[in-house]
Amino acid sequence: MPLQQTPPDLGNQYDEDRVLRSYLARVLPETMHKEIEPSLRELGRLAGGDLYRMQLADRLNEPTLTQWDAWGNRIDHVEVTPLWREAERIAVAFGLVATAYEQKHGSLSRVHQCALAYLFTPSTDIYSCPLAMTDGAARVILSSGNQALIERAVPHLISRNPKDSWTAGQWMTELTGGSDVGLSQTGAVRIGSDSHQDAGSVQGSIDQPLPTSHSGVDAWRLYGIKWFTSAVTAQVALTLARPEGNPPGGRGLALFYVELRDEFGRLRNIEVNRLKDKLGTRKVPTAELTLIGTPAQLVKGTTDGIRNISPLLNITRLWNGISAVALMRRGVALAADYARRRIAFGAPLSEKPLHVDTLAGLQAEAEGAFHFAFYVAELTGRAEVPADSLKPSENAIDEVVLLRLLTPVMKLTTGKQAVQVLSEVIEAFGGAGYVEDTGLPQLLRDAQVLPIWEGTTNVLSLDTLRALGVSGTKPNVEGAGAFKTFKAAIRSCLQSVHDSRLSEPVRTVQSALDHAETWLFRTTQEQQTLEADARRFAMTLGRTMELALLVNQAQWSLDNEADGRAAAAARRFAGSGIDLLVDHDPNDARMLFT
Ligand SMILES: Cc1cc2nc3c(=O)[nH]c(=O)nc-3n(C[C@H](O)[C@H](O)[C@H](O)COP(=O)(O)OP(=O)(O)OC[C@H]3O[C@@H](n4cnc5c(N)ncnc54)[C@H](O)[C@@H]3O)c2cc1C
């Protein structure tokens, strides 16, 4: 009889996750930890059990677009897969968006929400995408000060009631680009202006009246093509458009709120041209849309749309980081389980030193990334509940400045790690990892989107320079302050570290930090070098922060749990390339490129 291979299995994804449990034990007050643990455990059970099995069974299903009904009516109906319908139900029931806004536990509600999202994400095929945008939309609308819109939309976006809960989309990217959105061509016309008295007269439009609750002075119509709009099944969207007469460039764009459908469920002057045929995230219905007089409402002002939508991007970047660590965790959990089952050369892979070494490297990467993403969750929570914020005078850390700097750094660092880790996870299964019906290849394909959407690695590296105030000019006071804040945050991670088992990682943090600082102040005058090295610099900041956070957790775990595993992860991570700044001659790059 030939031997069969045994597939990997998952247990309760909360109980089996040392890193999550140890982190929560450190940062949460005991009463809060006790209170939320049952729901985390229940979600962990679903994620490793019923939901995981459903995910495997749903593998070949994809969303469908039906553009016409049998009688020739344009309907543009998008149907999502059974897994996504279940994911929607679970997300509302567990309050995956609501938790952050109910603020039952003050600023730590963000950590609670992110722990839920971390458990939920790997078994729900990127349903985290609409949740991230819904969360971001709620944050933008709340911070807009637009009271009518707050009352109209926010209760639905953060609802725990499946009957009235909404999701939101975010339509920024056009054919002209997703990074350089200042080029956007979608136009906005105020209803009643001379040139467009009757927006419904536009040829080929499927015009419908404005929703009554939004008619009035603030009513606008949008015309243009949105090239990437994920989860077009959402009830509402935030989008950018240029009001007639506004100047070109980013400043001339305004931020609009759109309710996609009327009371009969028909799209309001929106045509879904097609769903994208993508490498991964295949359950996410990412559509190309034409807006043909789509009714819309201003969120805040008639200009500065990019600035006004930025609170949304901070939230979706946080979700991106949480998704990155969640997918890494899933990949490593499956690979570790498989290593105990798969026999090769007379013993399980889990007894082969080189395989164990390979998996240990992945675990260390995932662990560093985990602490970074959750640290940004902590900072996000404190920015949302200012009463919980630490005053700069208390620890020399201006947390607002720190959050501005670390959000792009965390997003870009963890996104890249996810792709690398999941690529290695595929290899850890040998040929089986490359075979579709194991469900494994999807992990890598889905991870590949994480460095692209919500800001590519390069775009966010340049944003890191902006956050430091060194983009375009010499460092300004604010920029120097941002780096000082970064150093203070690193110092606060290291201040209680006393165990000699962590000495080497601490030295690695300090030397990478010194090098980054020297590089920054040496290079700020050389704009070309600054830009060319920006990714290596931002990744160095990211990996340094990860190692410092990991060391901090490791010391706590040694002291409070007598557990040396986080310290082992810190030592391993310290030896995996923290300082990535190397002097490359920019002329070499030009020669190689041409
Ligand atoms: C699955 C999926 C779903 C998406 N969903 C949405 C959505 O719902 N809503 C939405 O608005 N968008 C969405 N997007 C679009 C996404 O946000 C953009 O594709 C992304 O921001 C990159 O923009 P771009 O495609 O214009 O790439 P480009 O900006 O053309 O980038 C091309 C390359 O150039 C690099 N680059 C760009 N500028 C610079 C620079 N100044 N210096 C150095 N390098 C640079 C980039 O890093 C990248 O490697 C989605 C994308 C995907 C893949």
Side-chain angles (χ1 to χ4, degrees):
M1 279 288 284
L3 273 177
Q4 271 131 15
Q5 294 185 22
T6 320
D9 202 5
L10 295 171
N12 184 312
Q13 288 303 283
Y14 174 72
D15 285 332
E16 292 187 351
D17 194 331
R18 164 186 60 86
V19 178
L20 173 66
R21 283 188 296 103
S22 174
Y23 165 77
L24 293 178
R26 177 173 66 82
V27 300
L28 302 185
E30 209 179 320
T31 44
M32 174 183 173
H33 196 185
K34 277 210 178 100
E35 193 184 318
I36 70 170
E37 196 164 45
S39 68
L40 294 174
R41 181 160 285 126
E42 174 57 12
L43 198 49
R45 187 190 66 75
L46 281 172
D50 294 350
L51 210 43
Y52 177 51
R53 280 187 286 280
M54 187 173 183
Q55 181 185 33
L56 292 176
D58 198 64
R59 187 177 63 82
L60 293 175
N61 296 328
E62 295 200 349
T64 54
L65 167 65
T66 306
Q67 287 177 312
W68 304 94
D69 74 4
W71 310 104
N73 299 303
R74 183 89 194 231
I75 52 170
D76 289 350
H77 175 71
V78 175
E79 189 68 40
V80 297
T81 78
L83 179 75
W84 258 47
R85 288 199 294 275
E86 180 63 2
E88 181 180 6
R89 190 190 67 74
I90 292 173
V92 173
F94 279 81
L96 261 95
V97 175
T99 302
Y101 293 88
E102 291 160 353
Q103 294 185 343
K104 207 167 160 203
H105 302 285
S107 63
L108 285 169
S109 303
R110 266 288 165 207
V111 172
H112 179 194
Q113 178 210 29
C114 287
L116 291 168
Y118 168 81
L119 292 167
F120 171 88
T121 293
S123 297
T124 46
D125 288 357
I126 317 296
Y127 191 76
S128 52
C129 167
L131 294 178
M133 295 189 292
T134 304
D135 189 347
R139 173 54 49 220
V140 165
I141 293 170
L142 281 169
S143 54
S144 71
N146 183 334
Q147 206 49 41
L149 203 51
I150 292 172
E151 282 165 26
R152 165 85 188 161
V154 174
H156 294 288
L157 297 173
I158 65 171
S159 172
R160 281 183 187 260
N161 179 355
K163 290 205 176 79
D164 71 7
S165 80
W166 290 354
T167 56
Q170 172 248 108
W171 307 342
M172 291 179 73
T173 306
E174 300 194 359
L175 273 159
T176 45
S179 315
D180 196 1
V181 275
L183 297 175
S184 296
Q185 293 173 331
T186 295
V189 177
R190 199 190 285 267
I191 301 299
S193 79
D194 291 339
S195 49
H196 290 272
Q197 274 290 350
D198 176 14
S201 65
V202 174
Q203 261 252 305
S205 90
I206 43 173
D207 188 59
Q208 291 163 23
L210 282 169
T212 44
S213 55
H214 293 290
S215 54
V217 285
D218 241 0
W220 294 70
R221 300 229 178 202
L222 309 184
Y223 300 86
I225 293 175
K226 294 291 175 182
W227 190 236
F228 274 93
T229 61
S230 283
V232 68
T233 41
Q235 283 75 15
V236 298
L238 294 182
T239 190
L240 298 175
R242 196 177 308 282
E244 259 184 331
N246 271 18
R251 280 219 61 207
L253 293 169
L255 177 58
F256 287 91
Y257 165 84
V258 173
E259 288 187 7
L260 274 72
R261 294 176 188 78
D262 64 14
E263 65 266 39
F264 305 109
R266 294 173 307 188
L267 285 167
R268 287 194 172 104
N269 301 5
I270 299 168
E271 287 184 350
V272 183
N273 302 325
R274 61 176 169 169
L275 298 182
K276 299 268 193 202
D277 185 7
K278 297 170 290 177
L279 170 72
T281 69
R282 293 191 68 92
K283 299 294 162 74
V284 183
T286 305
E288 296 164 13
L289 304 180
T290 302
L291 311 182
I292 37 182
T294 307
Q297 192 185 345
L298 281 170
V299 176
K300 183 183 180 185
T302 53
T303 57
D304 294 310
I306 298 178
R307 193 168 64 203
N308 291 333
I309 204 171
S310 65
L312 179 147
L313 297 177
N314 291 339
I315 297 294
T316 53
R317 285 169 187 165
L318 171 61
W319 274 83
N320 206 85
I322 297 294
S323 300
V325 294
L327 292 186
M328 281 188 257
R329 159 70 194 154
R330 172 58 53 89
V332 174
L334 288 169
D337 184 73
Y338 186 67
R340 287 186 278 273
R341 298 167 190 271
R342 173 74 166 145
I343 312 288
F345 300 99
L349 289 173
S350 57
E351 289 172 21
K352 304 284 178 193
L354 181 52
H355 196 72
V356 170
D357 183 84
T358 307
L359 295 187
L362 302 184
Q363 175 65 27
E365 284 293 318
E367 228 163 304
F370 175 96
H371 290 293
F372 199 5
F374 275 85
Y375 182 55
V376 172
E378 289 170 45
L379 292 173
T380 304
R382 291 207 284 272
E384 290 168 330
V385 185
D388 284 10
S389 286
L390 304 174
K391 304 281 167 299
S393 54
E394 286 169 26
N395 61 359
I397 300 174
D398 184 334
E399 294 201 327
V400 175
V401 171
L402 187 63
L403 180 61
R404 165 69 186 94
L405 173 64
L406 291 190
T407 299
V409 174
M410 183 279 288
K411 193 277 187 187
L412 72 91
T413 309
T414 56
K416 278 295 188 205
Q417 285 172 301
V419 175
Q420 281 150 12
V421 165
L422 287 157
S423 172
E424 198 64 68
V425 162
I426 298 295
E427 191 177 335
F429 285 88
Y434 206 70
V435 172
E436 289 291 352
D437 56 6
T438 60
L440 295 163
Q442 184 187 317
L443 278 169
L444 176 58
R445 282 199 301 264
D446 286 351
Q448 184 64 67
V449 85
L450 298 169
I452 296 176
W453 65 12
E454 309 307 337
T456 63
T457 309
N458 282 1
V459 166
L460 292 182
S461 299
L462 297 174
D463 190 47
T464 302
L465 298 182
R466 272 195 298 280
L468 288 166
V470 293
S471 185
T473 52
K474 55 186 181 177
N476 58 28
V477 179
E478 206 187 316
F483 198 82
K484 242 193 230 162
T485 297
F486 179 73
K487 281 200 322 188
I490 297 271
R491 259 200 312 274
S492 94
C493 291
L494 303 184
Q495 71 192 4
S496 56
V497 178
H498 54 82
D499 197 291
S500 60
R501 285 168 285 181
L502 293 167
S503 309
E504 193 50 46
V506 167
R507 269 196 293 278
T508 306
V509 169
Q510 275 159 350
S511 110
L513 186 62
D514 290 346
H515 191 193
E517 185 170 33
T518 313
W519 176 88
L520 183 65
F521 289 99
R522 193 191 65 209
T523 317
T524 39
Q525 310 294 345
E526 305 161 32
Q527 196 56 35
Q528 290 284 329
T529 314
L530 195 63
E531 272 202 35
D533 286 359
R535 178 197 282 233
R536 285 183 285 275
F537 172 68
M539 295 284 286
T540 299
L541 295 191
R543 293 181 73 78
T544 305
M545 192 76 232
E546 288 189 355
L547 182 55
L549 291 163
L550 193 43
V551 164
N552 181 42
Q553 176 72 34
Q555 185 63 64
W556 183 89
S557 190
L558 286 168
D559 292 345
N560 295 278
E561 301 173 321
D563 188 339
R565 286 175 289 180
R571 288 193 297 273
R572 176 65 194 230
F573 189 62
S576 309
I578 302 302
D579 179 359
L580 304 181
L581 277 166
V582 277
D583 281 333
H584 286 304
D585 183 344
N587 290 323
D588 285 350
R590 272 192 290 275
M591 272 164 62
L592 288 168
F593 180 63
T594 46

